[in-house]
Amino acid sequence: MTDMEHDTAAAGAPTRSGFVALIGATNAGKSTLVNRLVGAKVSIVSHKVQTTRAIVRGIAIHDNAQIVFMDTPGIFKPRRRLDRAMVTTAWGGAKDADLIMLLIDSERGLKGDAEAILEGLKEVPQPKILALNKIDQVRPEDLLKLAAAANEMVKFERTFMISALSGSGCDDVMDYLASALPEGPWYYPEDQISDLPMRQLAAEITREKLFLRLHQELPYASHVETEKWEERKDGSVRIEQVIYVERDSQKKIALGKGGEAIKAISTAARKEISEILEQPVHLFLFVKVRENWGDDPERFREMGLEFPR
């Protein structure tokens, strides 16, 4: 079929749309996969576990389907209130989706959290597919054993072998999703890749740069909020953000000696936000101490999380 014939066939086909919840243990590669499938950076990616706090939706168009990805927080054993909120949100996201995609790190297999998630999935009624990630790191016979073990625990419609990093197998996933979602109109305008407000996305990018720079010194007791967003007449945007930490000692770490840490974080974040907005960005970062922000219900609402009682 020529490209023109394919376009004509697609034009006559009914549109499909739906929500796909991507779940998995922390660091299984969910954010990397969403960014790969959507083709743009919409979900924070970091080597720190538990970086995706709220459900970030990336929107992809494939054939005649609009696929809305719900990138849920990694599901793990929660200890703090923030952890509990993230897990509650993850399972809530799964129950709201048309289809659930479980991502398993092939290297780690069913150890720890992956097995617990499979147990939890037994109770979820939606159709489910399995994606084994990082397949280039594992022998083919071990992949087959892993696929068989997971399918014994949960009935998956399909199993895919993929690499979120290289993109191997991702086209097959998209072809399947585009045909499996229900017929119906699209939820979002075609040019809208994410319904996460730009202010929040900008805050997520800064938080990622903060983690990449200070992942050894600064624990999870940090949060970024975009406080001011001013579109200027010259076509640029002025953004003011506050990095909240819980103690003065953490504020010193975030600023760095002579302010070098905050300057480097600001430069890296400004460059990436500017690339996404496709306009010049003036970024101003401030660090403030707010004790016990992790127990404040308002902070949870701003992050799109349910506050656990």
Side-chain angles (χ1 to χ4, degrees), residues 205-206 209 260-274 281 283 285:
I205 288 167
T206 301
K209 303 309 173 198
E260 64 172 328
I262 197 81
K263 275 184 203 149
I265 291 159
S266 179
T267 301
R270 179 181 54 75
K271 183 171 179 289
E272 188 160 317
I273 294 166
S274 177
V281 167
L283 179 64
L285 297 184

Side-chain angles (χ1 to χ4, degrees), residues 68-136:
V68 186
F69 290 99
M70 303 163 73
D71 181 23
T72 59
I75 295 172
F76 54 94
K77 291 190 182 71
R79 283 182 292 280
R80 299 170 308 161
R81 182 172 254 151
L82 176 62
D83 296 342
R84 292 204 304 279
M86 287 160 66
V87 174
T88 304
T89 304
W91 282 116
K95 292 184 174 78
D96 291 339
D98 294 291
L99 191 146
I100 292 166
M101 183 169 166
L102 171 64
L103 192 65
I104 287 182
D105 178 336
S106 299
E107 282 188 289
R108 278 191 282 170
L110 300 187
K111 294 191 194 103
D113 291 342
E115 194 166 7
I117 292 168
L118 280 162
E119 283 295 333
L121 270 183
K122 290 178 183 176
E123 310 301 316
V124 180
Q126 285 94 328
K128 297 167 270 289
I129 61 172
L130 172 67
L132 300 181
N133 192 22
K134 307 181 188 175
I135 54 168
D136 44 349

Side-chain angles (χ1 to χ4, degrees), residues 46-67:
S46 164
H47 57 287
K48 268 277 204 187
V49 297
Q50 297 151 30
T51 46
T52 306
R53 288 182 180 175
I55 291 175
V56 177
R57 294 177 179 89
I59 300 162
I61 309 292
H62 191 76
D63 294 337
N64 271 54
Q66 187 179 70
I67 306 160

Side-chain angles (χ1 to χ4, degrees), residues 37 69 101 129 131 160 162 169-178:
L37 299 179
F69 290 99
M101 183 169 166
I129 61 172
F160 297 90
I162 67 162
C170 290
D171 283 346
D172 294 338
V173 172
M174 291 298 277
D175 287 344
Y176 176 82
L177 294 176

Side-chain angles (χ1 to χ4, degrees), residues 137-155:
Q137 311 290 325
V138 181
R139 294 181 311 172
E141 55 268 35
D142 292 335
L143 279 173
L144 291 171
K145 279 184 200 162
L146 177 57
N151 275 276
E152 261 180 50
M153 293 181 73
V154 172
K155 182 183 176 291

